[in-house]
Amino acid sequence: MNIEEAKNQRSDINVEGRIEEKGEVRTANTKYGETQVCDCYIVDDSGRCKLTLWGDDIGKVNNGDRVSIQGAYTTEFRNERQFNVPKKNGKLDKISSE
């Protein structure tokens, strides 16, 4: 599945792409307490989508890395579609570095 197709899916998203525009890490308050969060974009030949990185996933990737995400879901925040990788059933793996 490519990124443009995945943006129209709600859950169980599996895509590969390259990380771009990794932003600053910030602290977010969730119903589970404080956690670290960071936004970036995942890009492939079909397009790009915001990817929200949570907790340990933040340190796994840098700009230019090729990654695989599995079991992700989409949300919409401030009129922008974004992928989220759930801690329980999702997976973010770095395939290669730039």
Side-chain angles (χ1 to χ4, degrees):
M1 169 182 318
N2 66 39
I3 288 173
E4 281 305 308
E5 292 168 342
K7 282 171 79 173
N8 296 318
Q9 220 174 302
R10 294 308 251 158
S11 61
D12 200 28
I13 295 167
N14 302 314
V15 295
E16 289 185 10
R18 187 173 32 83
I19 297 295
E20 285 186 350
E21 296 181 43
K22 185 175 176 186
E24 295 295 316
V25 177
R26 62 191 187 282
T27 301
N29 290 311
T30 70
K31 63 183 177 184
Y32 305 108
E34 275 191 359
T35 189
Q36 300 295 305
V37 64
C38 175
D39 293 322
C40 64
Y41 286 89
I42 185 168
V43 181
D44 70 9
D45 292 338
S46 71
R48 67 189 229 147
C49 186
K50 185 176 270 188
L51 170 62
T52 303
L53 302 171
W54 296 91
D56 295 338
D57 284 344
I58 296 169
K60 287 183 182 179
V61 299
N62 293 301
N63 287 327
D65 289 348
R66 268 198 78 61
V67 299
S68 166
I69 58 175
Q70 298 162 352
Y73 62 93
T74 57
T75 56
E76 191 140 329
F77 185 67
R78 296 187 179 149
N79 295 320
E80 185 173 21
R81 179 78 59 175
Q82 56 190 35
F83 296 143
N84 291 273
V85 180
K87 195 183 262 190
K88 218 175 195 182
N89 303 322
K91 194 172 181 186
L92 170 77
D93 289 316
K94 180 163 75 168
I95 298 169
S96 64
S97 299
E98 191 172 41

